[in-house]
């Protein structure tokens, strides 16, 4: 695949443009489809259908500087945005970053943040194609816009009664890290990594989409309980979760000192950026082993789709009871 | 043109989604080409080539609440971003807004900001197709991403020696308003309007592009001196400005109490969001009257393109001398 060099457009003079030049230093080549890269008023991307999404990262709301290196702040912000492309099974192409930074950060710190953005973008075969910079009177704000090719986007509205509900990976790791930090402790490395270096499941989503098994999909940014609720609302169906099946991240009991509350953190903790999707009965299980071999992460069936509305949980005796997702909002509101 | 109703995707529960529902209330129908609107993980836009740009608006950096109504803050942020589509002669399609707002603003104030966004988007035949919301510990931050169709984007790198340099409209009005506010005065209505309600020249740019006269174009966000410098750098040419020809906004001498310094404000004042373009000699003048009749704003020839690099100004005796754009940075740094 031919990739043309980035920075084909010369920038004018001034400190803002000197900073932008430094931001672009870490960028690789432009992916195919990008006909105008950074430096002009717009980037231009060719493709039959393009998916676009934006994701905000605000200091002391989404992250704290004391918790993360600047490269991790940038990586995480870009990974969270790229995860929205995974959620519709799009192929990532470009990333635009708007960065508001205090004047004191406008040299090395901001450049290190952008190095993290480049790392996340390149890991997804995307590149920085634009953005904006501004002074911030208080704290860092990153807004990452992602552009991907999505000729057949998988929406959250396609779930049908009878579908199975699946998730990739393990849940609650990022929330476990926040839980540890909020308690004044250093999180275990696996939990810290889940928070600081989430891996957007862009290839995994395209792999599943290519096999034609997906009815509906989203990425887990608000926690399984919240996001399954969004999927149910968008699809006009009811979702029943199987609590015993939920793949709890091993760092969760580590941080909590036991299994008590682990399920609540796995259900309510956000920002795992795993895939959550529905598929017709029986079609995913035969693919799960190959998926795990290919991507090093499991697929787990965690629920089913029925007629109705809202979210329910299957209790140990097999009965179902409504799940009040508001009960988990203190996790979402917990950190940082 | 068929426009499908917006809000086709049901959102889940929770205060964040209640707010998003209110944000979407003011939105119109989806423009053609938008196959997935707001509410899913991504918007999806169909088109052969799409232009994408982002533009940050930070409270107390780009605007002050004391100066603008919330609707104007939203309108201005969206208009500034849409102006980047005009700069490449793209047809606006969609707007995504990331809004970080203090908790106290998360009800009526933020909704009024978004009403202003809708107004700007609809005036450009675009619609809100996505975004993000977050709490902000300090002040409003809006990042507006715009998506437009640009089968033949006009870049800032296409200027050639011999070209004429033209601008639309009048320059310095927005800077005059800032100048007045910074001096503790209320700006004259025309200056206030130039700052609060800039009109992105999206239709004007497409009109010029359709006539095949444009070699290079950008929009004036940093001031004519700064932006002509960017155009020269991107094109690898030298630009000579004609100071006597520059169309100074009538509010500028009003605010300054005379013509002294008016030219400096017109050259150095940013955020006029007028078009600045180069074209071969003699091709624009025959179109200027029709342009003014169509759009109610003039086209003015303000310079020429020669071989070399950098920016120069023609002095009254016909000689040219280099223009130090850094000399104008105090205007750009002046406000708010």
């Amino acid at each position: 695949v031919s990739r043309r060099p980035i920075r084909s457009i010369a920038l004018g003079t001034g400190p803002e443009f000197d900073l932008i030049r430094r931001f672009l230093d870490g960028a690789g080549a432009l992916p195919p489809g990008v006909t105008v890269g950074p430096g002009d008023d717009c980037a231009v991307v060719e493709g039959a259908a393009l998916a676009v999404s934006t994701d905000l990262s605000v200091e002391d709301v989404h992250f704290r500087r004391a918790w993360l290196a600047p490269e991790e702040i940038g990586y995480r912000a870009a990974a969270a945005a790229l995860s929205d492309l995974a959620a519709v099974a799009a192929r990532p192409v470009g990333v635009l970053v708007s960065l508001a930074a205090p004047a004191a950060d406008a040299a090395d710190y901001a450049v290190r943040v952008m190095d993290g953005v480049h790392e996340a973008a390149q890991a997804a075969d995307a590149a920085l194609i634009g953005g904006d910079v501004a002074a911030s009177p208080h704290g860092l704000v990153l807004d990452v816009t992602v552009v991907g090719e999505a000729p057949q986007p998988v929406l959250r509205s396609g779930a049908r009664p009878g579908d199975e509900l699946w998730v990739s990976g393990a849940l609650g790791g990022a929330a476990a890290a926040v839980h540890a930090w909020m308690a004044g402790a250093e999180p275990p490395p696996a939990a810290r990594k889940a928070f600081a270096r989430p891996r957007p499941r862009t290839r995994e989503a395209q792999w599943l989409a290519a096999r034609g098994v997906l009815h509906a999909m989203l990425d887990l940014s608000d926690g399984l309980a919240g996001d399954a609720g969004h999927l149910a609302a968008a699809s006009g169906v009811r979702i029943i979760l199987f609590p015993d099946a939920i793949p709890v991240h091993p760092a969760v009991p580590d941080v909590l000192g036991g299994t008590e509350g682990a399920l609540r953190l796995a259900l309510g903790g956000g920002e795992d950026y795993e895939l959550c999707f529905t598929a017709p009965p029986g079609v995913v299980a035969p693919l799960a082993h190959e998926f795990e071999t290919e991507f090093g992460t499991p697929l787990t069936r965690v629920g089913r789709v029925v007629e109705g509305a809202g979210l329910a949980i299957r209790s140990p005796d097999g009965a179902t009871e409504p799940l009040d997702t508001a009960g988990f909002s203190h996790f979402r509101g917990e950190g940082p």
Side-chain angles (χ1 to χ4, degrees), chain A residues 5-6 8 12 14 16 27 29 34 43 61 65 68 73 75 91 101 107 171 227 231 234 255 313-314:
Chain A
I6 221 163
S8 52
E16 178 183 339
V34 180
V61 174
R65 284 192 203 217
L68 298 180
I73 291 170
Y75 175 94
R91 181 180 71 78
L171 308 184
D227 285 315
L231 200 151
V255 163
I313 197 153
R314 192 173 62 181

Side-chain angles (χ1 to χ4, degrees), chain A residues 93-157:
Chain A
V93 175
V95 172
L96 298 88
V97 176
S98 288
L99 175 65
D105 297 328
D108 289 341
Y109 197 91
V111 171
R112 291 177 62 191
V113 168
M114 292 302 295
D115 283 343
V117 168
H118 293 314
E119 187 192 333
Q122 287 169 17
D125 290 327
L128 188 74
I129 60 172
D132 196 6
V133 289
S136 166
H138 308 281
L140 283 172
V141 178
L142 282 90
D143 188 42
V144 181
T145 299
V146 287
V147 180
E149 210 172 17
Q152 295 189 298
V154 179
L155 304 183
R156 51 175 69 184
S157 52

Side-chain angles (χ1 to χ4, degrees), chain A residues 10-26:
Chain A
L11 299 169
T13 56
E16 178 183 339
F17 300 96
D18 294 338
L19 185 61
I20 292 171
R21 265 184 284 270
R22 292 190 61 195
F23 285 172
L24 292 174
D25 269 346

